[in-house]
């Protein structure tokens, strides 16, 4: 049985406003791996992304098939005056917004580096994304992020 994988990485810092959750956006060039076309500028619902760095739709992965999936993320924030850092995986983040695997974390000294993993069912008509948030006094930079989806087809 083939495992379908999409592995995204962004090392261009993204400014994340304080408060709420925000979709992590990923470029379409220089992706680590996307042989099944789950992260393309022209998306499964027919909409097109013209600027990955400003359009939250660039953070969507559209599963290629229905199946049991493992989502993995790496998140690195710049140092800041945080009391809490937040992250979650979300099904349909720009529509129904079904969140799962929500973590609220206290900061550690220096740069904030986290990994997370979660498993869930996915299907082609429902995109998934990584969302992050913080409670610092001002916007802060997300320095590096990765989002990986591995689907074991049903």
């Amino acid at each position: 049985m083939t495992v379908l994988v999409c592995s995204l990485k962004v090392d261009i810092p993204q400014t994340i406003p304080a408060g709420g959750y925000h979709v992590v956006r990923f470029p379409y060039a220089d992706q680590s791996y996307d042989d099944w076309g789950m992260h393309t500028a022209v998306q499964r619902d027919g909409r097109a992304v013209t600027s990955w760095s400003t359009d939250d739709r660039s953070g969507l992965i559209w599963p290629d098939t229905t199946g049991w999936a493992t989502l993995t993320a790496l998140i690195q924030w710049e140092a800041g005056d945080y009391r809490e850092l937040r992250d979650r995986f979300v099904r349909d983040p720009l529509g129904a917004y079904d969140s799962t695997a929500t973590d609220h974390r206290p900061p550690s000294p220096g740069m904030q580096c986290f990994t997370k993993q979660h498993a869930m069912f996915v299907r082609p008509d429902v995109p998934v994304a990584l969302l992050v948030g913080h409670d610092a006094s001002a916007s802060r930079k997300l320095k590096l992020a990765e989002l990986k989806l591995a689907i074991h087809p049903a």
Side-chain angles (χ1 to χ4, degrees):
M1 178 186 305
T2 300
V3 176
L4 288 70
V5 175
C6 181
S7 176
L8 307 178
K9 178 180 179 179
V10 62
D11 56 8
I12 298 168
Q14 293 179 46
T15 301
I16 306 294
Y21 283 94
H22 306 275
V23 174
V24 177
R25 297 175 308 274
F26 293 92
Y28 295 101
D30 301 323
Q31 294 181 55
S32 298
Y33 191 79
D34 187 24
D35 278 4
W36 284 272
M38 294 187 264
H39 183 253
T40 59
V42 177
Q43 299 187 342
R44 295 257 165 92
D45 63 356
R47 299 204 36 206
V49 175
T50 57
S51 173
W52 77 266
S53 63
T54 60
D55 191 335
D56 284 347
R57 293 182 69 83
S58 69
L60 304 180
I61 294 178
W62 293 81
D64 189 63
T65 190
T66 299
W68 184 246
T70 302
L71 289 102
T72 307
L74 173 140
I75 304 159
Q76 292 184 0
W77 292 94
E78 71 177 336
D81 62 336
Y82 311 103
R83 288 177 314 212
E84 186 173 73
L85 294 151
R86 305 174 189 117
D87 47 76
R88 61 177 31 160
F89 294 120
V90 178
R91 293 178 194 92
D92 197 13
L94 305 177
Y97 197 91
D98 178 16
S99 66
T100 187
T102 299
D103 289 308
H104 290 200
R105 311 163 188 272
S108 60
M111 183 183 242
Q112 308 304 311
C113 303
F114 304 105
T115 58
K116 68 185 292 145
Q117 189 172 56
H118 186 68
M120 64 185 194
F121 281 104
V122 296
R123 57 182 216 243
D125 61 329
V126 180
V128 296
L130 171 65
L131 278 67
V132 297
H134 66 82
D135 68 352
S137 61
S139 296
R140 294 291 183 252
K141 293 213 184 299
L142 185 66
K143 304 289 275 182
L144 173 69
E146 295 182 11
L147 175 57
K148 298 163 187 322
L149 174 69
I151 306 170
H152 300 268

